[in-house]
Coordinates of all heavy atoms in Angstrom, one line a residue:
K2 N 80.3 104.9 25.3 CA 79.8 106.2 24.9 C 81.1 107.1 24.4 O 82.1 107.1 25.2 CB 79.0 106.9 26.0 CG 78.2 108.0 25.5 CD 77.3 108.4 26.5 CE 76.3 109.4 26.0 NZ 75.3 109.8 27.0
Q3 N 80.9 107.8 23.4 CA 82.1 108.5 22.8 C 81.6 110.1 22.7 O 82.4 110.8 22.1 CB 82.5 108.0 21.5 CG 83.1 106.7 21.6 CD 83.6 106.2 20.3 OE1 83.0 106.4 19.2 NE2 84.8 105.7 20.3
N4 N 80.6 110.4 23.4 CA 80.2 111.9 23.4 C 79.7 112.2 24.8 O 79.4 111.4 25.6 CB 79.2 112.2 22.3 CG 77.9 111.5 22.5 OD1 77.3 111.6 23.5 ND2 77.4 110.9 21.5
A5 N 79.7 113.5 25.0 CA 79.2 114.0 26.4 C 78.6 115.4 26.3 O 79.0 116.1 25.4 CB 80.4 113.9 27.3
G6 N 77.7 115.6 27.2 CA 77.1 117.0 27.2 C 78.0 117.9 28.1 O 78.6 117.4 29.1
V7 N 78.0 119.1 27.8 CA 78.9 120.1 28.5 C 77.9 121.3 29.0 O 77.1 121.8 28.2 CB 79.9 120.7 27.6 CG1 80.7 121.8 28.3 CG2 80.8 119.6 27.1
G8 N 78.2 121.7 30.2 CA 77.5 122.9 30.7 C 78.4 123.6 31.7 O 79.3 123.0 32.3
I9 N 78.3 124.9 31.7 CA 79.1 125.8 32.6 C 78.3 126.8 33.3 O 77.4 127.4 32.7 CB 80.1 126.6 31.7 CG1 81.0 125.7 30.9 CG2 80.9 127.5 32.5 CD1 82.5 125.8 30.9
V10 N 78.6 126.9 34.6 CA 77.9 127.8 35.5 C 79.0 128.6 36.2 O 79.9 128.0 36.9 CB 77.0 127.2 36.4 CG1 76.4 128.2 37.5 CG2 75.9 126.3 35.8
V11 N 78.9 129.9 36.1 CA 79.8 130.8 36.9 C 79.0 131.8 37.7 O 78.1 132.4 37.1 CB 80.8 131.6 36.0 CG1 81.7 132.5 36.7 CG2 81.6 130.6 35.1
C12 N 79.2 131.8 39.0 CA 78.4 132.7 39.9 C 78.7 134.2 39.5 O 79.8 134.5 39.0 CB 78.8 132.5 41.3 SG 78.4 130.9 41.9
K13 N 77.7 135.0 39.6 CA 77.7 136.4 39.1 C 79.0 137.2 39.5 O 79.5 137.8 38.6 CB 76.4 137.2 39.6 CG 75.3 136.9 38.7 CD 74.1 137.8 39.0 CE 73.0 137.6 38.0 NZ 71.9 138.5 38.2
P14 N 79.4 137.1 40.8 CA 80.6 137.9 41.1 C 81.8 137.6 40.3 O 82.8 138.4 40.2 CB 80.8 137.6 42.6 CG 79.5 137.1 43.1 CD 78.9 136.4 41.9
Y15 N 81.9 136.4 39.7 CA 83.1 135.9 39.1 C 83.0 135.9 37.5 O 83.9 135.5 36.8 CB 83.4 134.5 39.5 CG 83.6 134.5 41.1 CD1 82.6 134.0 41.9 CD2 84.8 135.0 41.6 CE1 82.7 134.0 43.2 CE2 84.9 135.0 43.0 CZ 83.9 134.5 43.8 OH 84.0 134.5 45.2
R16 N 81.9 136.4 37.0 CA 81.7 136.4 35.5 C 82.5 137.5 34.9 O 83.0 138.5 35.6 CB 80.2 136.6 35.2 CG 79.3 135.5 35.6 CD 77.9 135.7 35.3 NE 77.1 134.6 35.8 CZ 75.8 134.6 35.9 NH1 75.1 135.7 35.5 NH2 75.1 133.6 36.5
R17 N 82.8 137.3 33.6 CA 83.6 138.3 32.8 C 85.1 138.4 33.3 O 85.7 139.4 33.1 CB 82.9 139.7 32.9 CG 81.6 139.8 32.3 CD 81.6 139.8 30.8 NE 80.3 139.9 30.2 CZ 80.1 139.5 29.0 NH1 81.0 139.0 28.2 NH2 78.8 139.6 28.5
N18 N 85.6 137.3 33.8 CA 87.0 137.2 34.2 C 87.7 136.1 33.4 O 88.9 135.9 33.7 CB 87.1 136.9 35.7 CG 86.7 138.1 36.5 OD1 87.3 139.2 36.4 ND2 85.7 137.9 37.4
G19 N 87.0 135.5 32.5 CA 87.7 134.4 31.6 C 87.7 133.0 32.3 O 88.2 132.1 31.7
Y20 N 87.0 132.9 33.5 CA 87.0 131.6 34.1 C 86.2 130.5 33.3 O 86.7 129.4 33.2 CB 86.4 131.7 35.5 CG 87.1 132.6 36.4 CD1 86.4 133.5 37.2 CD2 88.5 132.6 36.6 CE1 87.1 134.4 38.1 CE2 89.2 133.5 37.4 CZ 88.5 134.3 38.2 OH 89.1 135.2 39.0
A21 N 85.2 130.9 32.7 CA 84.4 129.9 31.9 C 85.2 129.4 30.7 O 85.2 128.3 30.4 CB 83.0 130.5 31.5
K22 N 85.9 130.4 30.0 CA 86.6 130.0 28.9 C 87.8 129.1 29.3 O 88.0 128.0 28.7 CB 87.2 131.2 28.2 CG 88.0 130.9 26.9 CD 88.5 132.1 26.3 CE 89.4 131.7 25.0 NZ 90.0 132.9 24.3
Q23 N 88.5 129.4 30.4 CA 89.6 128.6 30.8 C 89.1 127.2 31.3 O 89.7 126.2 30.9 CB 90.2 129.3 32.0 CG 91.4 128.6 32.6 CD 92.1 129.3 33.7 OE1 91.5 130.2 34.3 NE2 93.3 128.9 34.1
A24 N 87.9 127.1 32.0 CA 87.4 125.8 32.3 C 86.9 125.0 31.1 O 87.2 123.8 31.1 CB 86.2 126.0 33.2
L25 N 86.3 125.7 30.2 CA 85.9 125.0 29.0 C 87.0 124.4 28.2 O 87.0 123.3 27.7 CB 85.0 125.9 28.1 CG 84.3 125.3 26.9 CD1 83.4 124.1 27.3 CD2 83.4 126.4 26.3
L26 N 88.1 125.2 28.0 CA 89.2 124.7 27.3 C 89.9 123.6 28.0 O 90.3 122.6 27.3 CB 90.2 125.9 27.1 CG 89.8 127.0 26.1 CD1 90.8 128.1 26.1 CD2 89.6 126.4 24.7
Q27 N 90.0 123.6 29.3 CA 90.6 122.5 30.0 C 89.7 121.2 29.9 O 90.2 120.1 29.8 CB 90.8 122.8 31.5 CG 91.9 123.8 31.7 CD 92.2 124.2 33.1 OE1 91.5 123.8 34.0 NE2 93.2 125.0 33.3
L28 N 88.4 121.5 30.0 CA 87.5 120.3 29.8 C 87.6 119.7 28.4 O 87.6 118.4 28.3 CB 86.0 120.8 30.1 CG 84.9 119.7 30.0 CD1 83.9 120.0 31.0 CD2 84.3 119.6 28.7
I29 N 87.7 120.5 27.4 CA 87.9 119.9 26.0 C 89.1 119.2 26.0 O 89.1 118.1 25.4 CB 87.8 121.1 25.0 CG1 86.4 121.7 25.0 CG2 88.3 120.6 23.6 CD1 86.4 123.1 24.2
D30 N 90.2 119.7 26.5 CA 91.5 119.0 26.4 C 91.4 117.7 27.2 O 91.9 116.6 26.7 CB 92.6 119.9 27.1 CG 94.0 119.3 27.0 OD1 94.5 119.1 25.9 OD2 94.5 119.0 28.1
Y31 N 90.8 117.6 28.3 CA 90.7 116.4 29.1 C 89.8 115.4 28.4 O 90.1 114.2 28.3 CB 90.1 116.7 30.4 CG 90.0 115.6 31.4 CD1 91.2 115.2 32.1 CD2 88.9 114.7 31.6 CE1 91.2 114.1 32.9 CE2 88.9 113.7 32.4 CZ 90.1 113.3 33.1 OH 90.1 112.2 33.9

Side-chain angles (χ1 to χ4, degrees):
K2 197 169 189 178
Q3 294 185 315
N4 62 54
V7 176
I9 299 233
V10 176
V11 177
C12 295
K13 278 189 179 186
Y15 303 101
R16 292 179 187 166
R17 298 281 182 203
N18 289 303
Y20 299 134
K22 182 179 179 184
Q23 184 178 15
L25 189 54
L26 290 173
Q27 288 180 358
L28 183 142
I29 293 166
D30 184 64
Y31 188 83

